[in-house]
Amino acid sequence: MTPRWPDLASLELLLLVAEQGSLGKAAKLHGITQASASRRLDTLERELGVPLLHRSTTGSRLTPQGQVVVDWARATLTAANDLLTGVQALRGRRDARVRVAASMTVAEYLMPGWLVALRRVLPDVEVGLRVVNSGEVCRMAMDGEIDAGFIESPAVPRELTSWPVAEDRLVVVVAPGHAWARRGEPLRGEPLRGEPSRGEPLSRADLAATPLVVREPGSGTRHALDRLLTGPDVAPPILELSSNAAVKVAVETGVAPAVLSRLAVAAELRDGRLIEVPVADLDLRRPLLAVWRARTRLTGPAAELVRLARTAAHG
């Protein structure tokens, strides 16, 4: 059964009650009557199934459960604000004051925060955002279709200027039931004759010889992987997919291992849906780059966005 999501306006009202210590003050700031605010919070309590407020003649205060919900609600509302900011950029007009393109990994996991930071500094800026793979970002920058782009690929055409804004790391991931899932664990007992120890990290040769689920040609992740694994010993991919989400689903269902950005799999690693496999002899770090046309000085909102992206990475 699909859960019923709490109303964001009600969560915002609950935060105001927590900050103001008064249902009346919170209602006024929210632009509704106190009676309407009370009904809205009553409905929220019923939907969540926990008491949120102690009401008295001297004011309203949070219950212990309410305090926990407020902490969670604050993170939820921040994420919702990031979502709205990102969507607004996606539907930005063609004549937006700053035209930006980003590779899929950057757009999914970093761009929302960068856009929120840009909006704080330049509240009236209009952003037009295109989400494509790294190769397409470079093409758009060379053709003057965008003011700045963000890519995961270390290979930048000579027609572009590039500037590192952050560092990412690729990781090998498998389903929990995969034979590699226990690589790197503390060794318990002796391995079978001729078999690698489960405590040993994966080798480059093991990875190269294994058919993987990979991103499509042109993506920054695929380009980085192809640079790491070269030569006649590299097995062809078992499957090529055009998004991080599709690759993760394939890995979770046991199709094969994959190599993806640590940003893209952080949630799955936290909850155990995927397992990171350590690799002994490969440097899986890669830069994330801002790019724009060579011999062109980056100015205005585009320059500010690049600066904020670099500041966020080093903050």
Side-chain angles (χ1 to χ4, degrees), residues 128-139:
L129 175 63
R130 296 281 302 278
V131 181
V132 291
N133 65 34
S134 292
E136 183 66 5
V137 172
C138 289
R139 184 201 64 76

Side-chain angles (χ1 to χ4, degrees), residues 107 122 150 232:
L122 301 171
F150 296 88

Side-chain angles (χ1 to χ4, degrees), residues 183-196:
R183 287 294 190 104
E185 287 187 356
L187 183 62
R188 297 181 180 89
E190 293 297 323
L192 297 175
R193 185 182 298 275
E195 293 292 324

Side-chain angles (χ1 to χ4, degrees), residues 164-178:
V165 294
E167 186 177 81
D168 187 23
R169 180 167 64 87
L170 297 177
V171 292
V172 179
V173 290
V174 296
H178 192 275

